[in-house]
Every structure is written in C-alpha cells, then in structure tokens.
Amino acid sequence: MCFKKTGLLWLFALGLLTLGIGGCAETDAPPQESGAPELNLARISAADAEPGNWFTTGRTFGETHYSPLFQINKDTVSSLGFAWDYATGTTRGLESTPIVVDGKMYTSGTWGRVYALDAKTGEELWYFEPPLDGQVAGDACCDIVNRGVALYGDLVYVAALDGQLHALEKATGKIVWSQDTIVDHERLYTSTGAPRIAGNVVIIGNGGAEFDARGYVSAYDLKTGEFKWRFYIVPGDPKNPPEHPEMAEALKTWDPNSRWDVGGGGTAWDSMVYDPDLNLIYVGTGNAAPYPAEVRSPAGGDNLYLSSILAINPDTGRLKWHYQTTPADSWDFTATQNMILNDLEIEGRVRKVLMQAPKNGFFYVIDRETGELLSAKNYVPVTWATHVDMNTGRPAVTQVSKYFSEPKVQAPTDVGGHNWKPMAYNRDTGLVYIPVTELEWLRVNAYPDGYKYEKGMINMGSWNFPTDDATIEAYASFTPYEADYLKEIVRKASPAPDRELLRAWDPVKGETVWEVVNDSQNAWDGGGILTSGGLVFQGNSQGYLRVFEASTGELLKTINVGTSIMAAPMTYTVGGEQYIALMAGYGGSGAWSFPESSAAYTRGNDGRIVVFKLGGGEVPLPSLLEIELFPEPPEQDASLDQIQRGGLKFASRCAFCHANSARNLVPDLRRLTPEKHELFEEIVLEGLLKQNGMPGFAELFSKEDVADMYAFIISISREAYEAN
Ligand code: CA
C-alpha cells in the first residue's frame, strides 16, 4: 500500500505531491497490455497498491467509490478541465461507473452496450452491441439503462437488458460465452445491474418487480460460463417443492395463499459486493410484487427475503446470514442501493462493516461477518417508521405507512431517500457522501375494490406521487379517489417541501456533518459520488460537475459539461497523470421527462463519456435546442368518459415511457406527426415501430382500448397546443 489511512499522513502525502514527489510513482509506469499482470482475485484485492487503476464499479472489492489518488486536490482542482470526450451514440440514461485497468477504459450504456477506449486519448478500441432477443424498452420499469461491467482475467462481463450475460474478450470485445439468465420469459424480467466477480463465479440479478418478476441471482463459472447456482430471493408457489433450503425457511414468513401469480418481487437489480477474505457476496434485494402486503400475503408475515441484505457463500450458493431492512415491504423500499465494505471503529472496537443507505431512509451499519446490526439512524426525514429497534433490528412502523384503506402522505417515497446513484466513503475524513432526496408524497391503494393482476402490465397495486395540486389533479383519475379528497389529506399532513441534497454523513455517530442543497426544482438533480484527494465530485442534471472540499462541503470548482449527469465520476492515472471520468446522459427511474432546468432539455441528450485533467480546457458544449411549439392535433368528439378510460389504460402501461411532459426520452405523444396519427392503431397493436423499442400490444389491448387511449392523447395534445 502506498497510501495511508490517517488524515495527518494524507496531508503529508499532499505535501509530497506539491514538492513533485509522487507517493505512488512506482505504479505510474505506462500501461502495457502484454506486460500487465493477470487480473485476478489477488490483484483486485490489492487494489490500493495500484491506485491508478479502478478495478470494479466502486474501484475495490469493498466498492467505496474512494480513490487514494491525490494529484487533483484542493490546491490544484482550480485548473481541472477538459481532457477528451467520446460520443456513446445513445440518447437515454447512462448510469455506469467506468472501469479502468492498465490504461484502458471499459464501460456500458443503453441496452448493455460496451465501450472499450484508450483511457489517455478516448480512442475507441472496440464497441459491443448486444444481440438483443426481442426485448423492448417498455419491458423495463426505469429506462433501458445499464450500471456497468465487471473485469476478470481476459474477460469483460456485461448483462444486457434481455438478461443475457455476455463474457467478452477484453482485447477485442468478441463474445467468448453467453448465458440466458432469465428462468421464465413469460414474466417481464430485465437486467440492468453490473455483474460482480466473487471467488470463481460471476453473479448477476435482475429487475422487474414493478411487473411480475420473482427475483433471484445466478452464478456462472468465470472462465467457461458454466451455470453454478441460483439463489431465489422469494419463494415460489408452495405447491411446488422449494428450490433450495432457504426457500423452505422463507416460506414460513409468507401466507400459503400469497399472490404467487404476481411473482413476489425481491429483484436484485443493482448492488452486490464481495469480501474475498470472508468469501461472501452481499446481495441487496428489491421491493415486493405487488406492493401492498395486504394483497400479496393477506395473513401477514415478514415475506423474506424482500428488501434485505443477503450474505451468500459464492462457492456453494448457501446463505450465511440475512438482514431484512423492511419487513413486509409495501412501499417499494428496495435494499438494492450501493453497499460499501470497510473497517470502522465502533465503541472502541474495529469492526468489519457493511454500510447501506437503502430507499427506506435508514442508514445501516452491519457487522458483515455475522450480520449483527450495529447502527440504523435515519439519514433523511422518515415518517413510515419512528426508528429501528436495536434489540430486534426491526423498524417501528407508524400509521403513516398503512395506506391500504386510506391514502397517506409518506416519507421517503418510491424514489427513496437514496436510490441507485452511488454514495462514497472517504477513509480519510471517515464520512459517507450520499446523494439524498427528501420527499413526502401521497401513497394510495390503486385497487380498493380488489387487486387485479394483468400479465404484461405494471402490477404494483399502489401509486406514489407528489402532493402539489397540479399533480394531484393529473393523477387523481388514475386512482379511485377524487382530487379534492386527496388535496384535503395533503393539507392535513402539511408535507415538507421537496429537497435534493448532497449529505456528508458520519456513519459511526449516525449524523449529518455537512450538506449542500441542490438549488433546482427537480428532485433528481444530483448524480453519484466520487471522493478522492480530499474532494467530493458530483455531477447534476443541469449538466455541471461540482467539486466540494470533503471535510467542510465548501464548493471549490464548477465545470459546465453541457450534458445532464446522473452516473458517478471515477478517477485513474495513465502515464502518471490523473484523470476524472464520468458518463453523461439523462434518464432512469422517475426521470422520463426532462425538467426544464436540465441540460437534456436545453441541449439535448446525446450520451457522452467526458474526461477531465489538470490544465485541461473548456468542455465543448452541445448546442442549445430551439423550443418547438406543440402542433395542432385533429378535432375529436370523444366523451369525457372515453378520455378517462383511455387515461387509465395509458397509465397502466404506456406512461412509464411516454410521460406527459416536454422533451421526453421517448417520443412525446403530444407531438404526433400526421403520419403517426394515421398509423396510431397499427403502431400500438402491430408493433410497427418495434425496431425503436416500441412493441406491439395486441395481446394486451383491444382496438377499443386503443381508440380510448388515442382519445386521451388527443385530449392532452389539445391542452398542450392551447397552452403554446
Ligand atoms: Ca422498485
């Protein structure tokens, strides 16, 4: 290790740098593919010995999103500027943290495409387009994103949206092996997470709990791709024998008459993290399907292993311990958010911990050897529970969480106090930097007259939406309630205003040390975090990269990138020079339309990888777009009833992509051209635009349904036209 933990030594190291003595000079030799040592467990485990590389999504196996590099620090950051950029050829969300090994960058984008670039120049070495088999954009709840690749030996692993796990030759991008990780193609599964290396296997999960997925993770031999094991997260119908012993245990926490047809959920769609010393892979599991516990498992029960952290032995696939953050989840409270492994001194004892800030609003510190809960303080305002009982490890749930018979204003929301955007732990300051969202939203039961499961549709069973009058008026028709009734509930609850912040959190004390409020109206502004050189780096949807001093939160530098940023920056060196890299492109969950404050709105959403270095220039900005007026739609004489019926159908399947707001990721249906008006029914039923990701819905919708939805679209088009 060439870099020490303590603050004093760290300052000392900065001093050396100023004197021109690189603390890690021995690792800064120019990279050479042929001469580079094999990328194996030992090398990744010793990541601190070569801080110029970034080996995993979070740099090390512990995935702290921290780098010991220090050329770029508070004394030098003022000259940080443009080094190079690369056009990804995409127009949707980019969420990956690039990996850089031996001077080459590997990262993923939309659909699971992979880019291999020269990390010094940005020159493309190869590009991989996954051979997608029938998957369409509407099969994904939260955009056709991908959260990264994994590297091991001579292979690069990526999970494409269709759930195919591909192992690519690192030198060429050619497929070495592929495995279909989806067990049931009748259900709407997708893969968007980064695969993880653990022991001799590569592991991948999936998403789809908003539809009808039953979550699991699958493990394959690193070299051959041979299937090794599968760990289901929730039980299947007890009429069938449980697939493995843990499912027999889990079944005891479910009503035998649960809604097995809806799949149960629990999908592990994002974070997994490996501890090579303990030989455990930690898997964060997702929310329930359907959401309301009263519908899903009417007799009650915790419904293991929803919203949990699972510690699994990667050699055997057997569970060592589990911790359930949200028993009987009814609120989309995934525990899939990024987990960080580190040592922390707690009450005089150094503990090997796992840290996570899942959607439910509590920051968990867990002993990762045993699963013992060490701390669970709320890192955002929480109304669904008063606290976590440290004796039982269970949240003390309040009346606010019980929305089944009466709508409630609840915090956090579906968006989560923290979502997929990586937080980072800086071992020099001892702080965790979390991109947090503070929201109190209405939570309503979508089907008080009886839950309906519809194959191929969003099947959540509850809605969660903002409390302003305009949103309530827009959403009320999708609920069984009158807008005035919902407004009255909001008035009585008097929710706090929406806020989006970067919060520096002391994980030992369980308290905020500093915070910066993002100054826009949009609650999804701030991107993932990198901490390095005594600094904190965060991009935002307005298209700026901001750099803060890590101890105080002082804003030291702002760079206009001109493209909206959600993904976490990372850092590496080539030839002794330090670079900061990030992927820029807007989209993802809860971001179907571009807020007016976003760069995506003003400058478009052409995806880019943007790289910075000291002494770099201005970042080239995409040109400003002209605001186009809405076209006049055809006249119609549809009844209000028909328009409302169409609106409900639209909400149940179409709105996830075609939200009713300007400048969408996918076509704004209020801007239909005359040809599209003509072809509307064929597009929706027969899949005329399938190659664009728009499937045919003949199995779901009748011609009458399409006529209703068309009436709804004409109605909102007319509104937009008149408001031009
Ligand atoms: Ca979810």
Side-chain angles (χ1 to χ4, degrees):
M1 194 192 289
C2 63
F3 198 73
K4 302 296 190 301
K5 249 183 195 177
T6 71
L8 270 179
L9 275 173
W10 181 78
L11 284 172
F12 177 66
L14 277 185
L16 284 181
L17 181 84
T18 319
L19 294 170
I21 305 164
C24 297
E26 74 279 6
T27 64
D28 281 339
Q32 19 182 291
E33 177 96 88
S34 51
E38 189 192 351
L39 186 58
N40 54 23
L41 285 185
R43 191 172 171 206
I44 302 173
S45 299
D48 279 350
E50 22 181 340
N53 288 322
W54 185 283
F55 288 114
T56 72
T57 282
R59 187 178 75 88
T60 59
F61 274 129
E63 300 204 19
T64 48
H65 289 266
Y66 159 90
S67 168
L69 294 176
F70 51 82
Q71 269 180 22
I72 299 170
N73 61 60
K74 74 176 163 60
D75 296 324
T76 60
V77 71
S78 59
S79 84
L80 190 67
F82 180 74
W84 54 263
D85 70 348
Y86 171 86
T88 57
T90 60
T91 53
R92 298 181 66 154
L94 294 174
E95 300 188 350
S96 296
T97 314
I99 287 176
V100 172
V101 178
D102 302 325
K104 296 189 172 70
M105 176 182 290
Y106 308 86
T107 192
S108 65
T110 310
W111 299 108
R113 291 168 180 165
V114 182
Y115 309 90
L117 309 174
D118 181 312
K120 187 179 172 66
T121 63
E123 180 200 346
E124 183 183 291
L125 305 173
W126 53 260
Y127 160 72
F128 171 70
E129 178 85 34
L132 291 164
D133 180 23
Q135 198 84 21
V136 295
D139 292 352
C141 74
C142 310
D143 200 359
I144 50 176
V145 294
N146 193 277
R147 269 174 238 95
V149 298
L151 255 68
Y152 193 86
D154 296 325
L155 299 177
V156 178
Y157 305 87
V158 69
L161 193 78
D162 62 358
Q164 289 278 336
L165 178 64
H166 301 288
L168 312 174
E169 199 174 69
K170 200 168 82 180
T172 63
K174 295 210 167 67
I175 293 178
V176 175
W177 57 259
S178 298
Q179 284 282 11
D180 182 5
T181 73
I182 304 304
V183 296
D184 181 356
H185 287 278
E186 292 296 301
R187 295 181 183 275
L188 285 182
Y189 282 104
T190 48
S191 280
T192 57
R196 298 308 203 279
I197 308 300
N200 298 311
V201 294
V202 53
I203 299 176
I204 187 66
N206 44 59
E210 272 61 50
F211 298 96
D212 58 357
R214 177 187 175 200
Y216 57 86
V217 291
S218 311
Y220 301 87
D221 181 87
L222 280 171
K223 290 204 169 83
T224 65
E226 184 193 347
F227 171 75
K228 289 296 183 185
W229 51 264
R230 177 162 288 128
F231 190 99
Y232 282 93
I233 291 158
V234 296
D237 192 327
K239 277 191 249 149
N240 306 316
E243 290 86 351
H244 46 89
E246 293 84 355
M247 285 301 94
E249 284 305 301
L251 259 179
K252 296 173 187 165
T253 66
W254 289 70
D255 184 337
N257 295 311
S258 288
R259 288 300 299 264
W260 308 114
D261 54 335
V262 194
T267 47
W269 52 266
D270 188 13
S271 180
M272 295 181 283
V273 59
Y274 177 57
D275 182 332
D277 296 330
L278 299 174
N279 195 32
L280 290 172
I281 177 90
Y282 303 96
V283 176
T285 78
N287 59 273
Y291 289 3
E294 289 90 339
V295 170
R296 184 176 69 248
S297 179
D302 287 350
N303 294 179
L304 292 172
Y305 295 95
L306 294 173
S307 305
S308 298
I309 296 161
L310 309 178
I312 297 173
N313 180 321
D315 296 336
T316 62
R318 295 281 65 79
L319 185 68
K320 182 172 183 203
W321 58 259
H322 77 275
Y323 176 75
Q324 189 174 39
T325 62
T326 310
D329 169 51
S330 292
W331 311 279
D332 192 19
F333 283 161
T334 64
T336 54
Q337 283 60 45
N338 78 299
M339 294 173 282
I340 288 176
L341 310 183
N342 210 77
D343 292 352
L344 283 187
E345 190 178 317
I346 295 172
E347 291 172 358
R349 207 176 131 198
V350 175
R351 309 286 292 250
K352 286 175 183 288
V353 305
L354 177 154
M355 298 184 278
Q356 192 192 40
K359 274 191 190 179
N360 77 8
F362 291 101
F363 189 98
Y364 295 92
V365 182
I366 293 171
D367 182 317
R368 69 176 184 272
E369 287 187 274
T370 62
E372 180 191 347
L373 179 66
L374 302 176
S375 167
K377 297 276 175 54
N378 62 303
Y379 65 93
V380 288
V382 168
T383 65
W384 72 280
T386 56
H387 64 285
V388 176
D389 182 321
M390 291 304 293
N391 292 316
T392 62
R394 300 175 68 86
V397 172
T398 67
Q399 283 303 313
V400 166
S401 64
K402 298 184 173 141
Y403 63 84
F404 194 54
S405 50
E406 185 187 51
K408 294 284 166 57
V409 176
Q410 174 205 309
T413 67
D414 281 7
V415 174
H418 168 227
N419 207 312
W420 65 267
K421 296 170 181 179
M423 62 183 194
Y425 171 70
N426 186 313
R427 64 193 186 199
D428 308 312
T429 61
L431 302 179
V432 179
Y433 305 93
I434 319 170
V436 304
T437 304
E438 296 183 352
L439 303 174
E440 277 189 82
W441 279 4
L442 263 170
R443 166 78 70 186
V444 306
N445 174 2
Y447 299 98
D449 301 329
Y451 174 79
K452 285 194 298 280
Y453 165 55
E454 292 177 273
K455 205 159 184 54
M457 307 288 264
I458 291 287
N459 281 295
M460 304 185 304
S462 92
W463 298 114
N464 197 195
F465 50 86
T467 54
D468 60 283
D469 282 1
T471 304
I472 290 175
E473 279 156 23
Y475 275 66
S477 66
F478 303 140
T479 80
Y481 305 105
E482 298 289 336
D484 285 347
Y485 171 74
L486 296 175
K487 284 184 199 166
E488 184 60 13
I489 288 173
V490 169
R491 197 187 58 77
K492 283 188 188 146
S494 62
D498 296 355
R499 293 207 306 169
E500 216 271 344
L501 311 92
L502 166 56
R503 183 160 276 155
W505 179 258
D506 182 328
V508 176
K509 291 183 182 150
E511 61 187 34
T512 298
V513 174
W514 57 261
E515 64 188 27
V516 178
V517 179
N518 291 334
D519 52 354
S520 98
Q521 277 91 49
N522 176 37
W524 295 274
D525 256 352
I529 310 287
L530 161 70
T531 181
S532 171
L535 306 172
V536 176
F537 298 79
Q538 185 186 34
N540 62 26
S541 69
Q542 296 100 313
Y544 292 89
L545 173 65
R546 301 204 292 174
V547 189
F548 303 91
E549 203 283 321
S551 305
T552 62
E554 183 194 348
L555 179 63
L556 299 177
K557 178 82 177 173
T558 300
I559 298 177
N560 188 4
V561 176
T563 307
S564 294
I565 303 159
M566 304 190 297
M570 53 78 67
T571 185
Y572 62 92
T573 60
V574 182
E577 188 163 30
Q578 187 183 352
Y579 297 84
I580 305 284
L582 54 82
M583 297 193 79
Y586 198 64
S589 175
W592 286 109
S593 57
F594 303 151
E596 289 186 24
S597 61
S598 70
Y601 188 88
T602 53
R603 296 180 184 274
N605 201 35
D606 289 333
R608 291 202 284 168
I609 299 166
V610 187
V611 179
F612 310 85
K613 64 176 183 181
L614 295 179
E618 299 271 307
V619 180
L621 305 179
S623 26
L624 288 164
L625 301 178
E626 281 175 33
I627 303 293
E628 287 170 43
L629 296 179
F630 285 96
E632 184 174 9
E635 295 289 342
Q636 72 167 350
D637 52 9
S639 68
L640 194 61
D641 222 37
Q642 185 183 18
I643 291 168
Q644 278 198 352
R645 272 201 315 273
L648 275 169
K649 292 278 173 201
F650 186 84
S652 72
R653 180 72 212 228
C654 317
F656 259 72
C657 299
H658 296 280
N660 318 323
S661 181
R663 301 252 167 114
N664 288 289
L665 290 166
V666 290
D668 182 341
L669 298 180
R670 298 169 305 175
R671 296 183 184 278
L672 289 180
T673 57
E675 302 79 60
K676 297 272 169 64
H677 279 288
E678 283 293 310
L679 296 170
F680 189 80
E681 188 182 286
E682 282 166 273
I683 292 169
V684 178
L685 291 182
E686 290 164 31
L688 218 56
L689 299 179
K690 193 166 196 295
Q691 75 282 5
N692 299 1
M694 166 71 189
F697 287 96
E699 282 177 27
L700 295 176
F701 297 127
S702 65
K703 287 189 172 203
E704 204 179 7
D705 292 334
V706 177
D708 293 348
M709 288 190 287
Y710 185 70
F712 171 73
I713 288 160
I714 296 302
S715 158
I716 58 173
S717 303
R718 173 68 53 186
E719 257 172 56
Y721 171 71
E722 279 165 11
N724 265 337

